[in-house]
């Protein structure tokens, strides 16, 4: 259970939180209304705003009671009333607790590095000012999402993140593929948003409030009277989380989102948007603790998604799409962890934090490779780049080792406990979930080793090629504004896991928000699970080396391949599923409605108009202009009227 809430006035730490949220929004407004006069220095405004937000986050972290002092560990600050209308009383406030502060540091810390990296990456872009404005808007919205103390405040940030992602994914709107990807992300996120909105409506109907404190204090009583209602709320929240975090069956938008500039990919995948779903479920721990069915569905979604991401990642040649599917699978691990419920929520947040470091580093590394390779994303055209880009190679290697769970790198300390927790679920459930997590570890090692070999090792294949715009390739290292953030993230990829996990440092810190951490107790010895995981990882690396390290890599992808490869290339049927379940029925429904409109509504109205026109024509013909005709008409009418009166009176 979470710790009781202490309401505080909007002063001290609470006032810092207000400025923490406002600063990025202020930066976005300045850049958007400042116009082209800010083209040269606009990026500095954006960076200062997000750095100041990071500094405020650090100050709040240091001063928080969980960092050593006393007082309330979970504080709600009331700011103002949104909608004081009779029974509808919506308050706006912020919640400062270990969970929200953890996300604040991740969002502003990694977000600051991505802002700095973007100086070099977007240096030649004519719309750079607008790009940085959207980045600030993204960060501000995410901060509102994690700091809001009610579901309505969370929803406001939730929608702000959706808007910012639409603007950033479609930033290069002159590219049809970017515009299409932005629309796809926007629409698929709306599907999830409907689930979250319905969950909020249901909470208000059942409990008359949408504040975290109000909902969490009453949800136990609701569970006693109507367990199904609690499960319904949990599943609707899960639908919202699936949309925002790219989980099955709403994962198809995430790889397409790679059409945006690479810093956007790093921001969305590492520090902000896709982590929102994991945050939502962890924040709603008091709800999920009361519904075993709800938790079971979360774990199933996580297990299915992590396998989908791994399988699709094995067959992609686009370096950013490989990383995108890697994100899909790693978020699946996080869903699996938070779905296991009480005692192990912290493991999902631990993996989220380590993932923030190594995934941001990997995306920035991919951007550095593209920067030196004429923006080409096809790994089949790379090869031997480690000599040309040594900083990029070594920082990327740190992220690679962390992602596959190599011993003593960050991912090792966060993914391995999740696999143990999955087996600890017990029975058939534990075997299936644990096996899925184990297989995912082996597949992750395979596709990431494939990426490393195709990109950095082997014979340089670009030497005999030209890029799509006709230029020769001259791979080179990126400027310091890009490599410096990569070095910092590489350090985090190597050491953050040990720092956060050893001594259960992070789980203990999160106890006031997520409850007491309990070490998973799988039915087999944890050391055997660790050995099994490492064996599968080694197998994945060796198979990838045998297939891509010892054989020449064709520049064009072979077309005559086995069905599993074709299936993986086709996104494991993700787009086909959405096409069959949603797009095709929706198009058929639209066509039917158009037919009804054209053949029924339009024809009915046209016929009605034709009749009126005919009657009008006949009436017009009676207007002859002769007095004798009008007198005759008046006489006839009078006779008809007299006869009618006599008939009524009983003639």
């Amino acid at each position: 259970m979470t710790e009781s809430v202490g309401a505080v006035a909007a002063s001290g730490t609470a006032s810092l939180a207000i400025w923490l949220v406002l600063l990025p929004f202020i930066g976005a407004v300045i850049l958007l209304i400042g116009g082209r006069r800010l083209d040269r220095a606009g990026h500095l405004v954006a960076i200062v705003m997000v750095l100041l937000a990071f500094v405020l986050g650090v100050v709040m972290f240091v001063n928080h009671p969980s960092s050593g002092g006393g007082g309330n560990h979970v504080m709600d600050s009331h700011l103002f009333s949104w909608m004081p209308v009779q029974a509808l009383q919506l308050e706006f406030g912020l919640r400062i607790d270990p969970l929200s502060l953890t996300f604040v540091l991740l969002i502003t810390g990694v977000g600051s590095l991505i802002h700095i990296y973007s100086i070099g990456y977007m240096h030649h872009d004519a719309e750079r000012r607008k790009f940085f404005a959207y980045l600030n808007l993204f960060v501000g919205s995410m901060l509102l999402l994690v700091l809001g103390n009610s579901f309505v405040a969370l929803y406001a940030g939730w929608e702000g993140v959706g808007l910012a992602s639409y603007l950033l994914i479609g930033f290069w709107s002159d590219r049809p593929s970017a515009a299409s990807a932005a629309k796809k992300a926007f629409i698929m996120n709306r599907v999830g948003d409907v689930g979250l909105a319905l969950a909020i409506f249901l909470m208000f109907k059942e409990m008359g409030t949408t504040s975290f404190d109000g909902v969490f204090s009453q949800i136990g009583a609701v569970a006693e009277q109507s367990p199904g209602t609690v499960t319904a709320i949990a599943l609707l929240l899960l639908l919202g989380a699936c949309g925002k975090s790219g989980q099955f069956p709403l994962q198809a938008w995430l790889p397409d989102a790679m059409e945006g500039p690479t810093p956007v990919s790093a921001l969305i995948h590492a520090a902000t948007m896709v982590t929102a779903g994991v945050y939502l479920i962890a924040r709603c721990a008091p709800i999920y603790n009361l519904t075993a069915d709800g938790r079971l569905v979360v774990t199933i979604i996580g297990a299915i998604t992590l396998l989908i991401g791994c399988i699709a990642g094995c067959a992609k040649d686009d370096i950013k799409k490989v990383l995108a599917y890697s994100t899909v699978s790693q978020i699946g691990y996080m869903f699996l962890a938070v779905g296991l419920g009480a005692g192990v929520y912290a493991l999902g947040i631990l993996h989220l934090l380590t993932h923030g470091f190594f995934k941001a580093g990997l995306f920035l590394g991919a951007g550095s490779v593209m920067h030196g390779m004429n923006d080409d994303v096809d790994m089949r055209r790379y090869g031997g780049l480690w000599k040309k880009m040594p900083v990029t190679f070594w920082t990327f290697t740190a992220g690679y080792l962390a992602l596959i769970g190599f011993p003593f790198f960050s991912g090792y300390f966060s993914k391995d406990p999740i696999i143990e927790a999955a087996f600890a679920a017990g029975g058939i459930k534990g075997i299936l979930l644990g096996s899925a997590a184990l297989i995912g570890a082996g597949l992750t090692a395979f596709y990431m080793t494939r990426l490393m070999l195709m990109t950095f090792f082997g014979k340089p294949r670009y030497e005999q090629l030209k890029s799509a715009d006709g230029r020769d390739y001259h791979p080179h290292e990126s400027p310091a504004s890009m490599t410096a953030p990569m070095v910092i993230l590489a350090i985090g990829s190597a050491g953050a896991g040990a720092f956060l996990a050893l001594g259960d440092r992070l789980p203990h810190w999160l106890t006031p928000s997520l409850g007491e951490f309990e070490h998973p107790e799988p039915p087999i010895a944890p050391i055997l699970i660790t050995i099994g995981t490492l064996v599968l990882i080694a197998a994945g690396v060796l198979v990838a080396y045998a297939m891509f390290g010892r054989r020449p890599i064709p520049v064009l992808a072979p077309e005559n391949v086995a069905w599993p490869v074709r299936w993986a290339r086709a996104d494991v049927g993700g787009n086909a599923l959405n096409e069959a379940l949603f797009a095709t029925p929706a198009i058929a429904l639209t066509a039917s409605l158009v037919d009804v409109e054209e053949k029924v509504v339009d024809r009915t109205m046209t016929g009605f108009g034709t009749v009126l026109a005919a009657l009008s024509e006949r009436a017009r013909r009676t207007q002859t202009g002769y007095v004798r005709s009008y007198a005759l008409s008046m006489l006839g009418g009078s006779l008809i009227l007299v006869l009618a009166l006599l008939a009524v009176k009983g003639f």
Side-chain angles (χ1 to χ4, degrees):
M1 297 292 291
T2 56
E3 184 174 293
S4 59
V5 174
V8 299
S11 60
T13 302
S15 64
L16 292 180
I18 298 170
W19 282 106
L20 181 71
V21 175
L22 287 179
L23 281 170
F25 283 127
I26 292 172
V29 171
I30 291 174
L31 294 177
L32 289 175
I33 68 175
R36 297 197 174 279
R37 74 193 71 177
L38 292 176
D39 276 355
R40 297 187 62 182
H43 59 288
L44 298 178
V45 174
I47 290 170
V48 167
M49 290 299 179
V50 74
L51 280 175
L52 285 175
F54 175 64
V55 171
L56 291 180
V58 172
V59 172
M60 290 169 58
F61 170 77
V62 172
N63 292 330
H64 193 269
S66 293
S67 296
N72 292 327
H73 295 267
V74 182
M75 297 181 292
D76 273 356
S77 65
H78 172 75
L79 299 180
F80 56 85
S81 297
W82 273 16
M83 301 179 191
V85 182
Q86 295 182 346
L88 181 61
Q89 299 291 328
L90 298 182
E91 309 296 324
F92 181 84
L94 301 176
R95 168 162 290 199
I96 301 106
D97 71 342
L99 182 61
S100 62
L101 284 177
T102 300
F103 274 82
V104 163
L105 293 178
L106 175 69
I107 295 164
T108 57
V110 176
S112 297
L113 294 174
I114 293 172
H115 273 67
I116 294 170
Y117 174 94
S118 300
I119 297 174
Y121 193 86
M122 300 297 288
H123 179 69
H124 298 293
D125 197 290
E127 299 288 341
R128 183 172 65 167
R129 170 185 54 82
K130 194 182 295 182
F131 176 79
F132 276 92
Y134 294 161
L135 283 186
N136 266 199
L137 178 63
F138 206 133
V139 172
S141 299
M142 194 66 196
L143 289 172
L144 175 60
L145 191 159
V146 300
L147 281 169
N149 72 342
S150 70
F151 285 95
V152 174
L154 180 150
Y155 192 80
W158 195 271
E159 290 301 318
V161 170
L163 171 63
S165 69
Y166 171 77
L167 295 172
L168 286 168
I169 294 170
F171 183 74
W172 288 321
S173 56
D174 56 325
R175 302 178 183 177
S177 57
S180 176
K183 284 190 290 185
K184 186 175 182 179
F186 192 80
I187 292 171
M188 295 194 76
N189 268 274
R190 296 291 77 71
V191 175
D193 294 353
V194 169
L196 177 56
L198 291 176
I200 296 172
F201 294 152
L202 190 53
M203 290 177 203
F204 186 78
K205 174 183 176 295
E206 295 293 328
M207 293 169 271
T209 179
T210 61
S211 71
F212 291 156
D213 193 27
V215 170
F216 297 157
S217 63
Q218 298 181 55
I219 193 68
V222 175
E224 291 178 359
Q225 297 177 358
S226 176
T229 301
V230 178
T231 301
I233 292 173
L235 295 180
L236 289 170
L237 291 171
L238 174 62
L239 179 59
C242 287
K244 200 63 75 183
S245 291
Q247 296 291 285
F248 177 80
L250 300 175
Q251 81 281 5
W253 69 268
L254 199 51
D256 288 7
M258 297 300 98
E259 291 293 338
T262 301
V264 173
S265 306
L267 195 61
I268 289 178
H269 284 248
T272 55
M273 189 163 171
V274 297
T275 63
V278 182
Y279 167 80
L280 178 64
I281 295 177
R283 174 59 79 195
C284 296
I287 297 175
Y288 283 93
N289 286 342
L290 298 172
T291 167
D293 292 339
R295 295 197 305 275
L296 177 62
V297 176
V298 175
T299 58
I300 292 173
I301 292 293
I304 292 174
T305 308
L306 77 87
L307 290 177
I308 287 176
C310 289
I311 293 170
C314 290
K316 295 295 179 183
D317 294 327
D318 182 325
I319 186 172
K320 289 178 67 177
K321 287 199 174 183
V322 175
L323 295 179
Y325 272 114
S326 164
T327 299
V328 170
S329 68
Q330 298 308 306
I331 300 292
Y333 275 104
M334 298 172 207
F335 267 62
L336 176 58
V338 294
L340 292 171
V344 292
Y345 287 107
L347 294 181
I349 305 302
L350 174 62
H351 195 51
L352 187 151
L353 287 179
T354 60
H355 179 264
F357 283 103
F358 59 71
K359 186 50 60 67
L362 288 169
F363 266 114
L364 296 191
S368 180
V369 170
M370 292 166 56
H371 181 80
M373 290 292 292
N374 302 349
D375 288 327
D376 202 327
V377 295
D378 189 348
M379 298 187 300
R380 293 186 177 276
R381 303 170 76 87
Y382 297 167
L385 292 180
W386 76 272
K387 293 180 180 177
K388 303 289 184 180
M389 304 178 182
V391 178
T392 300
F393 167 70
W394 286 112
T395 55
F396 201 96
T397 300
Y400 157 73
L401 293 174
L403 175 56
I404 68 171
F406 193 82
F408 310 117
F409 279 76
S410 288
Y412 170 79
F413 292 98
S414 58
K415 194 192 304 183
D416 205 56
I418 292 176
I419 298 174
E420 293 177 14
F423 277 109
I428 297 297
K429 174 185 171 184
I431 293 173
L432 292 176
L433 295 177
S435 299
L438 265 181
I439 294 170
L443 290 174
T444 301
F446 171 80
Y447 70 73
M448 283 304 298
T449 304
R450 174 178 179 268
L451 183 153
M452 290 291 292
L453 293 170
M454 293 176 73
T455 301
F456 294 106
F457 295 97
K459 182 181 178 181
R461 297 179 292 281
Y462 55 83
E463 292 177 341
Q464 307 302 321
L465 304 172
K466 291 184 182 294
S467 58
D469 55 5
R471 289 181 292 165
D472 293 325
Y473 292 103
H474 298 289
H476 54 277
E477 190 55 275
S478 298
S481 62
M482 294 173 64
T483 55
M486 290 158 54
V487 171
I488 295 172
L489 290 169
I491 294 171
S493 301
F499 176 78
L500 295 170
L502 293 181
D504 295 333
R505 183 177 281 116
L506 181 72
H508 287 158
W509 157 259
L510 292 172
T511 295
S513 299
L514 303 179
E516 200 68 40
F517 174 68
E518 299 172 8
H519 279 281
E521 296 182 358
I524 51 181
I527 186 64
L528 294 179
I529 295 176
T530 300
I531 292 173
T533 304
L534 293 177
V535 168
L536 279 177
I537 291 172
V541 172
L542 291 174
V543 171
Y545 177 72
M547 294 178 65
F548 301 96
R550 303 185 62 182
R551 301 176 184 174
I553 297 172
V555 174
L556 296 177
E559 294 184 1
N560 187 21
V561 293
W563 70 264
V565 179
R566 294 197 300 273
W567 188 50
R569 287 179 181 174
D571 302 297
V572 199
N575 286 319
L577 180 66
N578 290 320
E579 191 82 17
L581 292 181
F582 303 106
T584 302
I587 292 172
L589 177 62
T590 303
S592 300
L593 293 175
V594 169
D595 279 348
V596 169
E597 182 188 9
E598 291 178 350
K599 296 178 180 178
V600 179
V601 178
D602 284 358
R603 290 182 181 180
T604 300
M605 298 308 294
T606 301
F608 188 63
T610 302
V611 171
L612 285 178
L615 291 174
S616 299
E617 178 62 22
R618 288 184 177 278
R620 188 187 66 77
R621 291 176 180 175
T622 64
Q623 306 304 306
T624 61
Y626 296 108
V627 174
R628 61 178 181 273
S629 298
Y630 297 149
L632 182 60
S633 298
M634 292 173 64
L635 177 62
S638 299
L639 286 174
I640 293 173
L641 183 61
V642 169
L643 290 174
L645 289 173
L646 289 174
V648 171
K649 291 184 176 181
F651 174 69

